[in-house]
Amino acid sequence: MQSSTGAAATQGGISSSRIDSIRAAEAKIFRKARPKSEAAVGKGVKGFFGGVPMHWMNDWPTPFPILVEKAKGATITDVDGNKLADFCLGDTGSMFGHSPAPVAKAIRRQSRRGLTYMLPSEDALVLGKLLSERFGLPHWQIATTATDANRFALRVARAVTNRPKILVFNGCYHGSVDETFVRLDNGKPANKPGLTGEFRDLTQGTKIVEFNDLPALEAALADQDVACVITEPVLTNCCMVLPEPGFLEGLRKATRATGTLLLIDETHTISTGPGGYTQRYGLEPDLFVLGKPVAGGVPASVWGISDELAARYEAYNRSKQPGYSGMGTTLSANPLQFAAMRAALEEVMTEENYAHMEKLAGRLAAGLEAAIAKHKLPWHVRRVGARVEFICAPGPLKNGSEADAAHASELEAAIHVALVNRGILIAPFHNMMLISPATTKAQVDRLISAFGDIAAQLTA
Ligand SMILES: Cc1ncc(COP(=O)(O)O)c(C=O)c1O
């Protein structure tokens, strides 16, 4: 936990002055190794607002963004010739490695046949079947981002239930879906701070309770005005929070008892296995969303619904006024997506690849835990399949409020840059590390050793 009381403020048990001095020293090392990057992007790139093509690129804690020459498998090479073992993997978009060979081949093949035509191709005929078999829901639609898939799925949920509200868990993130940007502020629902141009009170349409709090959930659903609960099975977008035993079962029971639909967003927890957390743990969602890595790095997402929901949606469509549904985007469900997704599902998201990812993720988590214990740091490690996270606070964390308090942003930034200087890239927003099918044992051991080295410096 962070503390700013007393003369010497600390984060994660480390004094602010030590964090600052390590961060400054590591920033120097970073710059020295990247003269070309610094010359090109150190002062921002002309022509882009904020100096980058997308503002998130300014959120890395490095002194300036790394200018990438190429990425292959689990390695990124920058324009200065530095090689990084990539555990960020495009924050999950490249979870199966950069340009997996079967996906690259499918892209090459499709590039000769047209990239978008608002009509199905033969790959689409296979895809519907693949998605149904893989994720257990029979009816699918393709979109381009997980954000859009969530938005469309929530619309269907509201349409068929004729209920206005949704419910989210504190600390959630489901993409830039407006109605999910609510948080608990000292226990009271409020808009998240910092929302650009948002003038609505989002709490009018969104209820919010803490993850792992079944009584609060049951009370919130009792009014029967919530169309849908949207959640990840594990909260991954704050410091990782695992469901307590019985919580997901209780969630399903409470939603069914109140006629509320359940949307499981597997965009990150697909790290669990080929069928996601849903298949591994027998969840029974009414709606299912998966984006990011589902087409091996080509922008694509999928959303699926159950038979029962499909029947209700058909009835709704028969009765609704004609006119634009407000769902769909022009480039969605294009043949490049079909080809890449088919290759990813058939040849990349395989049991064999997941077995490799699971094994190395277990090795990584154990190695980090050992280093934390050795240096007597008050930190802990969490893992969901191929997704590992170290959290600079004691654990386990129970909910979004605890996860929020566990963030140690300055300390995390110092560790991040220090890891880059040791040839390791982890996620910029939190301490997330992904294992891909291309990740090697040597890369994992390098990360464990670098982490131990940094922990020694922090505690020296
Ligand atoms: C669980 C979850 N759902 C949805 C999204 C949105 O994905 P995208 O930004 O590709 O729309 C994210 C992004 O981080 C996510 O973590």
Side-chain angles (χ1 to χ4, degrees), residues 23 58-64 412-414 416-417 427-428:
R23 190 157 181 203
N58 281 332
D59 290 345
W60 294 87
T62 47
F64 46 84
E412 289 166 14
H416 184 103
V417 183

Side-chain angles (χ1 to χ4, degrees), residues 408-458:
S409 46
E410 298 305 314
L411 172 60
E412 289 166 14
I415 297 171
H416 184 103
V417 183
L419 283 171
V420 169
N421 290 337
R422 288 158 180 77
I424 305 286
L425 189 67
I426 68 169
F429 308 118
H430 40 102
N431 314 317
M432 185 276 288
M433 296 148 289
L434 282 171
I435 304 290
S436 77
T439 308
T440 63
K441 188 161 153 270
Q443 287 179 313
V444 167
D445 289 347
R446 183 170 188 181
L447 168 47
I448 294 169
S449 150
F451 181 82
D453 185 31
I454 297 162
Q457 268 200 30
L458 286 166

Side-chain angles (χ1 to χ4, degrees), residues 137-213:
L137 288 165
H139 306 277
W140 292 89
Q141 288 281 278
I142 312 293
T144 298
T145 64
T147 296
D148 278 343
N150 278 324
R151 284 177 42 227
F152 303 151
L154 288 176
R155 267 185 180 265
V156 170
R158 279 195 294 255
V160 301
T161 57
N162 199 25
R163 293 181 182 181
K165 298 192 178 180
I166 62 158
L167 184 143
V168 299
F169 292 107
N170 193 33
C172 75
Y173 181 72
H174 298 285
S176 39
V177 180
D178 288 341
E179 59 263 54
T180 59
F181 288 137
V182 170
R183 70 165 180 172
L184 284 175
D185 190 0
N186 286 322
K188 279 188 70 183
N191 280 15
K192 283 193 176 176
L195 295 173
T196 302
E198 181 55 78
F199 50 84
R200 294 163 293 178
D201 175 3
L202 299 172
T203 65
Q204 296 299 307
T206 303
K207 291 185 171 179
I208 179 164
V209 298
E210 292 284 11
F211 199 69
N212 282 323
D213 187 347

Side-chain angles (χ1 to χ4, degrees), residues 95-146:
M95 192 178 108
F96 302 111
H98 295 288
S99 302
V103 174
K105 190 172 158 206
I107 293 171
R108 276 197 302 276
R109 182 177 148 271
Q110 188 58 42
S111 70
R112 295 190 290 269
R113 298 166 179 227
L115 299 177
T116 189
Y117 23 72
M118 230 177 71
L119 288 167
S121 66
E122 284 183 322
D123 283 328
L125 309 182
V126 181
L127 201 53
K129 194 162 166 277
L130 278 177
L131 290 168
S132 301
E133 284 168 4
R134 178 69 63 106
F135 301 115
L137 288 165
H139 306 277
W140 292 89
Q141 288 281 278
I142 312 293
T144 298
T145 64

Side-chain angles (χ1 to χ4, degrees), residues 355-369:
H356 171 86
M357 292 152 71
E358 177 82 25
K359 191 166 159 215
L360 283 191
R363 183 180 181 89
L364 175 58
L368 298 178
E369 271 164 356

Side-chain angles (χ1 to χ4, degrees), residues 5 19 34 56 58 71 105 112 115 144 194-195 198 218 239 241 247 285 292 348 351 394 440 459:
T5 53
I19 294 169
R34 291 179 177 77
W56 287 359
N58 281 332
K105 190 172 158 206
R112 295 190 290 269
L115 299 177
T144 298
L195 295 173
E198 181 55 78
E218 286 160 2
C239 297
V241 179
F247 177 67
K292 296 202 192 183
V348 182
E351 289 285 0
T440 63
T459 51

